[in-house]
Amino acid sequence: MTNFTSLTEACNAVSTFIQRCVDDPHAAGFGELALGLFAFQFAHNTPFANLCQAENLTPETVGDWRDIPTVQTRAFKSLDLTVLPEADRETLFRSSGTTQVDHSRHFHCAETLAVYHASLWPWFAGHLVDESANRLLFLFPELGQAPESSLVHMMDTVAKRLAKREHCFATDGQWRIDGQAAVDFLHDCATQNEPVTILGTAFSFVHLLDHLDADAIDFQLPSGSAAMETGGYKGRSREMPRPKLHQAIAAKLGVASGRIICEYGMCELGSQAYDTIVGNGLERCFRFPSWARAQIINADTGAVVNNGEAGLLCIFDLTNVRSVVGVQTQDLAIRCGDGFELIGRSTNANPRGCSLALSEVT
């Protein structure tokens, strides 16, 4: 196990490992780093340590990264699960939603944001950036309008990394889409025969498609165009099953189905998963980068399910230097080798095994 004596040391070690994984996806060292982060977080993240001690899961009793206790996402709504002292909490991410209360809270400093960026860009670029020099249409607010959204921060980072490409942010701080701005941008892409990548949440795509339907507009965007769809609906629009949404994107925008990519991420994580690489036509299955590992567990036993079986999704993410390595989601998934297929959400599951519930210490 790696022993970290400071946050700087932990951040540097994880950033170095990420770069090694970019060069060699099979690079060794994940387990050692995960155990080291667990010990560091146990020592400096008091709410997390309290949860662990309630189950006698400590650095002295846990010897394998697969046994590191995971924290249920709902715990982030009431506990400040961070190693950062209050004076160092420079950036705040909150989970999305339509209400102003009961949001998860996630704190960053400059060092932990640097780890987030080190993880974000290579995995995004490897799945969504190809030889097509696409323009970018963001169905997101600009960072200044929604500074506490991790997704908006992610899109701002992408825009800056691809700063030479023309782009448009077509959503305001209340996540209301400017349909005319989006249509004008897409029309210019079509008439100039320049491919475009459209990035948005599922509900933003629905709003865009509804706007196109209302004005009887169809696009046949240039070859090489793509779309990245992420997130759910959160009561912000009518809901569409993912296959139907992708069919509508293909029909109304002219984006080839093999160039519609799904992203999976959450405020509680620093890494993202994608279900395919743009244009490769492979079978869809979400995968995280090598510095994050997904497990599908049986909610009753806590045991990892077999390939092809369903259970609750939990993620061990080294980029979570500032919070907790292991996060237990409420998402149901089917194990697909080292990846997973999302099938819905569980609102009632209280998983056993290594998952830590808030009720255990309150």
Side-chain angles (χ1 to χ4, degrees):
M1 180 181 75
T2 302
N3 293 314
F4 297 120
T5 59
S6 69
L7 180 63
T8 297
E9 187 179 2
C11 288
N12 288 342
V14 172
S15 294
T16 299
F17 182 72
I18 289 172
Q19 187 54 58
R20 285 174 52 206
C21 290
V22 171
D23 298 332
D24 175 13
H26 303 292
F30 178 89
E32 182 179 356
L33 278 173
L35 289 169
L37 286 177
F38 170 45
F40 180 75
Q41 291 163 355
F42 184 89
H44 297 280
N45 185 340
T46 300
F48 176 56
N50 291 340
L51 290 168
C52 293
Q53 287 170 334
E55 290 293 308
N56 193 31
L57 293 168
T58 70
E60 289 71 33
T61 63
V62 174
D64 188 291
W65 70 264
R66 298 167 187 82
D67 299 323
I68 292 174
T70 57
V71 177
Q72 295 179 32
T73 53
R74 67 187 182 93
F76 289 84
K77 296 180 179 181
S78 55
L79 298 176
D80 288 342
L81 290 161
T82 180
V83 302
L84 298 175
E86 287 192 37
D88 295 338
R89 299 173 188 177
E90 301 166 354
T91 300
L92 170 64
F93 289 163
R94 293 186 187 272
S95 57
S96 58
T98 55
T99 67
Q100 299 301 312
V101 297
D102 205 28
H103 289 193
S104 295
R105 302 184 302 274
H106 305 272
F107 303 97
H108 275 286
C109 65
E111 289 179 310
T112 62
L113 273 179
V115 175
Y116 175 77
H117 292 152
S119 167
L120 183 163
W121 175 248
W123 201 236
F124 174 92
H127 287 80
L128 277 143
V129 179
D130 60 8
E131 69 278 359
S132 300
N134 295 23
R135 297 186 186 185
L136 302 165
L137 175 60
F138 295 98
L139 304 181
F140 293 93
E142 294 189 79
L143 182 59
Q145 296 178 306
E148 294 182 351
S149 167
S150 59
L151 254 179
V152 169
H153 189 97
M154 176 184 174
M155 293 301 111
D156 179 75
T157 302
V158 169
K160 288 175 179 174
R161 292 299 296 254
L162 298 173
K164 294 182 179 180
R165 301 189 183 190
E166 186 175 349
H167 68 267
C168 171
F169 283 88
T171 303
D172 66 18
Q174 301 301 313
W175 295 84
R176 294 173 300 213
I177 190 170
D178 185 339
Q180 193 57 54
V183 167
D184 290 345
F185 190 81
L186 293 172
H187 178 74
D188 193 58
C189 292
T191 56
Q192 298 298 320
N193 195 34
E194 294 189 12
V196 56
T197 295
I198 309 169
L199 307 103
T201 61
F203 67 80
S204 291
F205 272 104
V206 171
H207 289 162
L208 175 61
L209 294 168
D210 286 347
H211 182 83
L212 297 179
D213 280 337
D215 291 347
I217 298 172
D218 289 335
F219 285 103
Q220 187 60 48
L221 294 173
S223 175
S225 293
M228 188 205 84
E229 171 259 311
T230 186
Y233 295 89
K234 299 177 174 64
R236 294 181 183 270
S237 76
R238 61 189 175 91
E239 297 195 11
M240 297 177 66
R242 177 163 280 163
K244 185 176 180 180
L245 175 61
H246 289 194
Q247 289 170 6
I249 291 172
K252 298 293 291 184
L253 296 168
V255 177
S257 59
R259 296 185 67 83
I260 302 173
I261 310 302
C262 295
E263 184 261 6
Y264 176 87
M266 59 178 59
C267 194
E268 294 83 359
L269 300 175
S271 299
Q272 300 81 38
Y274 298 93
D275 71 339
T276 190
I277 297 173
V278 66
N280 72 359
L282 298 178
E283 182 180 0
R284 292 180 179 269
C285 178
F286 282 102
R287 285 184 173 85
F288 280 98
S290 302
W291 50 91
R293 305 288 171 89
Q295 283 190 346
I296 315 299
I297 64 167
N298 183 300
D300 293 325
T301 66
V304 176
V305 303
N306 294 321
N307 197 44
E309 295 181 345
L312 285 167
L313 173 65
C314 61
I315 300 106
F316 297 86
D317 187 356
L318 298 184
T319 69
N320 283 12
V321 180
R322 87 285 178 198
S323 57
V324 297
V325 174
V327 174
Q328 174 65 64
T329 79
Q330 291 182 298
D331 293 315
L332 297 169
I334 297 173
R335 180 180 174 185
C336 303
D338 61 347
F340 59 94
E341 176 189 347
L342 288 174
I343 56 176
R345 283 180 67 80
S346 172
T347 57
N348 299 317
N350 184 21
R352 299 177 184 174
C354 63
S355 181
L356 302 174
L358 181 61
S359 60
E360 292 168 351
V361 293
T362 58

